Amino acid sequence: MFWYDHDVGGWGWFAMSVGTILFWALIITFGVLLYRALARPGGSSDRSDARPPGPSPEQFLAERFARGEIDEDEYHRRLTVLRETTGCGPRPSQR
C-alpha cells in the first residue's frame, strides 16, 4: 500500500487533477440543466398544441389568391375544404 515513499507520483497527480476537473464539470452541468428545466416559463416547451411558425394554411391560400395564382372559385373551394378538415372557423357563404 505504501509504495513510492508515501508520495503520489507524477501520473497520480495528473489523474487526480483530471478527475477533479471532470467531477466539477459534471456538477456544474447538472446544475445548469436543473436551472434551465425549472426556470422555463410555461412548463414544457414541447407542447402538442403549439402552432408551427409561419403562415397558417388559410393565410397561405389568401396570399396565393392575392398574387393571382388561383381564381376566386378555386380559392373558395379550397378554403371550404381547409375549414372542413380542420373543423375551425366559420363556413364561407355560398353564392
Side-chain angles (χ1 to χ4, degrees), residues 24-40:
W24 284 109
L26 284 173
I27 295 293
I28 292 170
T29 302
F30 177 74
V32 168
L33 291 176
L34 182 64
Y35 172 76
R36 289 179 66 186
L38 295 176
R40 181 176 298 147

Side-chain angles (χ1 to χ4, degrees), residues 47-91:
R47 297 186 321 208
S48 61
D49 61 339
R51 289 196 166 258
S56 70
E58 290 181 9
Q59 290 172 338
F60 184 70
L61 187 62
E63 289 175 6
R64 288 190 61 197
F65 178 62
R67 286 192 301 257
E69 295 177 9
I70 57 176
D71 61 353
E72 186 177 356
D73 292 332
E74 187 174 358
Y75 170 75
H76 286 294
R77 188 177 62 239
R78 289 183 183 210
L79 187 62
T80 303
V81 171
L82 274 176
R83 290 182 175 167
E84 286 176 356
T85 57
T86 59
C88 63
R91 305 253 187 251

